[in-house]
Amino acid sequence: WRGHEPGQTKAASLAQALIWYVGSLFCPSTALRMVYGPALWASFTVYTHMLANAAMVAVAFHLDDGAVRADRAVVVAGVAVGLGLAVVGFGVAAAAMPARYRETFYKHDTLRDYLSRIWDERAVSRPGWGEGQDAARAVIVMDWHVEYLPKKKVREWLKRWEEWERREPPWFTSKWRAALYKYAKGSGMLTKTAARSIEIEAALATAGEGSD
């Protein structure tokens, strides 16, 4: 298990997973949709919005020792009405979705699969980072944990390191390079050229601070 945020430790990831699990018992989390995929996320949605209430009411009446004073028929009718409204709500939401996006609500598509796909498709970056696919990819490697990135594709992309050193695109800053090294070191994603260049840059910066 790994959280989706860059540089997240195993302990932090486990804590986040537990929080998400407890939270999912009350309200489905879109973060679960990203990590586990829409199929599992949709099942949590159905459970929390439709099945959980009926199950809790059924258990309550099954264990009833006379403390429940509400009329069983009234309670069951209320739950049934709620379930009906939930079904109508899901139907309205599905009808309002553009047809080409409807299957993304329930189709199995994990975060790893999603990032592998947008790596080849995305061309949107951050303000000031430039335009085009390289700028978009520079954002992707900063936004997501290395465990979910398409490592082979990223490594192939990083083989252009020397080209970027020559033309210095807006996103190729010392801060970006340092963050990439921090998050990707030891993952097998960094090329030797990229790692060596960043290490030399860091050593020179340290030496410069010492001389001051």
Side-chain angles (χ1 to χ4, degrees):
W1 160 258
R2 280 287 189 182
H4 67 279
E5 297 176 0
Q8 196 170 55
T9 64
K10 290 182 179 180
S13 296
L14 179 59
Q16 187 179 60
L18 292 174
I19 292 172
W20 280 351
Y21 172 73
V22 174
S24 71
L25 299 179
F26 301 96
C27 181
S29 168
T30 53
L32 287 173
R33 186 180 191 278
M34 291 191 299
V35 176
Y36 297 121
L40 183 58
W41 183 79
S43 69
F44 274 114
T45 302
V46 171
Y47 168 72
T48 54
H49 287 300
M50 300 179 68
L51 303 182
N53 290 333
M56 287 188 289
V57 169
V59 170
F61 278 112
H62 178 73
L63 299 177
D64 178 27
D65 58 358
V68 179
R69 298 183 180 180
D71 184 83
R72 181 188 296 260
V74 173
V75 175
V76 170
V79 172
V81 170
L83 289 176
L85 290 174
V87 172
V88 172
F90 281 126
V92 171
M97 295 179 191
R100 64 181 183 278
Y101 296 130
R102 194 167 294 141
E103 69 174 10
T104 64
F105 182 76
Y106 59 84
K107 185 178 179 181
H108 184 68
D109 187 21
T110 65
L111 180 58
R112 188 174 285 108
D113 294 334
Y114 170 73
L115 292 179
S116 180
R117 186 173 66 254
I118 68 169
W119 183 262
D120 299 320
E121 301 174 354
R122 185 172 176 178
V124 178
S125 184
R126 294 175 181 171
W129 283 48
E131 300 178 353
Q133 196 171 59
D134 284 339
R137 289 174 172 177
V139 173
I140 292 174
V141 297
M142 289 293 103
D143 281 354
W144 304 100
H145 196 287
V146 66
E147 291 299 322
Y148 295 103
L149 294 174
K151 295 180 183 178
K152 291 183 179 179
K153 293 181 179 181
V154 176
R155 184 177 176 83
E156 188 65 28
W157 178 65
L158 290 176
K159 290 181 179 179
R160 297 171 55 197
W161 194 269
E162 293 177 326
E163 172 194 336
W164 300 329
E165 287 183 321
R166 288 193 301 271
R167 63 183 181 88
E168 297 183 346
W171 53 268
F172 193 68
T173 63
S174 58
K175 183 178 180 180
W176 182 89
R177 294 191 293 270
L180 176 68
Y181 186 80
K182 176 183 177 181
Y183 297 147
K185 183 181 179 182
S187 67
M189 197 169 66
L190 281 176
T191 63
K192 291 182 179 179
T193 299
R196 184 169 58 251
S197 176
I198 297 172
E199 289 168 354
I200 291 174
E201 181 179 16
L204 291 174
T206 302
E209 291 175 358
S211 63
D212 292 340

